[in-house]
Amino acid sequence: MVRTVAVLSDIHGMLGPLDQVLGEPAVVSADLILVTGDHVWGPEPAEVLDRLVSLGDRAVLLRGNADRELLQMSRGVDVGLGDDPVSVWGAEQLRPDHQQLLDVMPEQVTMEIDGFGPVLFCHATPRDDQEVVLVDSRIERWKEVFEDVPPSVSTVVCGHTHMPFTRLAAGRTVVNPGSVGLPYGRAGAHWALLHDGAITLRHTSLDREKLILETARRSDLPGVEQWLDDYVRTPADDVEALMTFGPRDGRPRADTESEAAH
């Protein structure tokens, strides 16, 4: 049985933070690396997919909404993102082997983890790759989201909202590792470790300006400097992100909102 799982999520084409997290001793020594989706939509989507594939059987990769959307766009499907230059460019970066990889990539997986029993891993929620639940979502909302989850599953791990948290909700432990590539709130790469029945939210410090310079040098994304300024140098904080995501969680819309990332 798997004893230690390093959980990464929402890399969003940011190779630099991914490499630094993969170099963390706890990740290097983990039995399994599980990545809960949104590998792409960012400045180095192909490079991130290649790096994840290079991990071989040590990694389990799930498909997030951004991965699904760019895959569809790469095949000429209109998913309503034709006015988003990052999505259009990102879809063009996907090689046939990337398309095949994303084709067979599961949206969720349930695994037996020592100390936890069956753990369900998904991108957003167990039933939808874009659905939003937050650290302060009401219990009725969590019950709705978990409606089809088997009673034997007492731990659910999800990503999508780029904000790390762990909480008890409707009798289940919920873990969001946060985002490796585009965190909201605290700067740096966020991830989580499941080990011997304990959950630890982890953080990898990054030199933000060095990261921006190196990513801009490597990436061919048009306007990459502006993108990095918007999403890396001056990212949304947790209050802004919660205000933006709140209506998608069924809450009243705030008077003012800032635009959260993909």
Side-chain angles (χ1 to χ4, degrees), residues 7-12 34-40 61-69 105-109 120-133 156-162 165 174-179 245 248 261-262:
V7 185
L8 285 57
S9 190
D10 295 278
I11 300 164
H12 281 293
L34 202 145
V35 192
T36 65
D38 277 11
H39 320 299
V40 299
L61 311 178
L62 303 184
R63 187 175 64 202
N65 64 293
D67 309 311
R68 171 182 53 79
E69 291 159 355
M105 198 176 287
E107 294 186 350
Q108 63 178 262
V109 65
L120 190 154
F121 298 87
C122 59
H123 177 62
T125 73
R127 63 183 186 177
D128 191 295
D129 68 5
Q130 296 187 89
E131 192 170 32
V132 168
V133 280
V156 177
V157 180
C158 55
H160 188 51
T161 59
H162 299 208
F165 69 83
V174 184
V175 184
N176 189 319
S179 173
F245 281 130
R248 293 170 60 186
H262 205 78

Side-chain angles (χ1 to χ4, degrees), residues 125-157:
T125 73
R127 63 183 186 177
D128 191 295
D129 68 5
Q130 296 187 89
E131 192 170 32
V132 168
V133 280
L134 302 162
V135 63
D136 57 348
S137 291
R138 60 200 184 282
I139 289 297
E140 290 76 17
R141 173 77 169 143
W142 286 106
K143 289 180 178 179
E144 175 187 332
V145 165
F146 289 156
E147 185 177 7
D148 296 325
V149 177
S152 60
V153 174
S154 60
T155 304
V156 177
V157 180

Side-chain angles (χ1 to χ4, degrees), residues 212-242:
I212 289 171
L213 288 172
E214 292 181 347
T215 304
R217 175 177 54 81
R218 291 192 305 255
S219 175
D220 294 327
L221 171 67
V224 64
E225 292 87 356
Q226 184 61 56
W227 188 91
L228 290 165
D229 186 64
D230 292 341
Y231 289 101
V232 179
R233 183 174 285 118
T234 56
D237 62 25
D238 60 321
V239 175
E240 293 172 307
L242 286 168

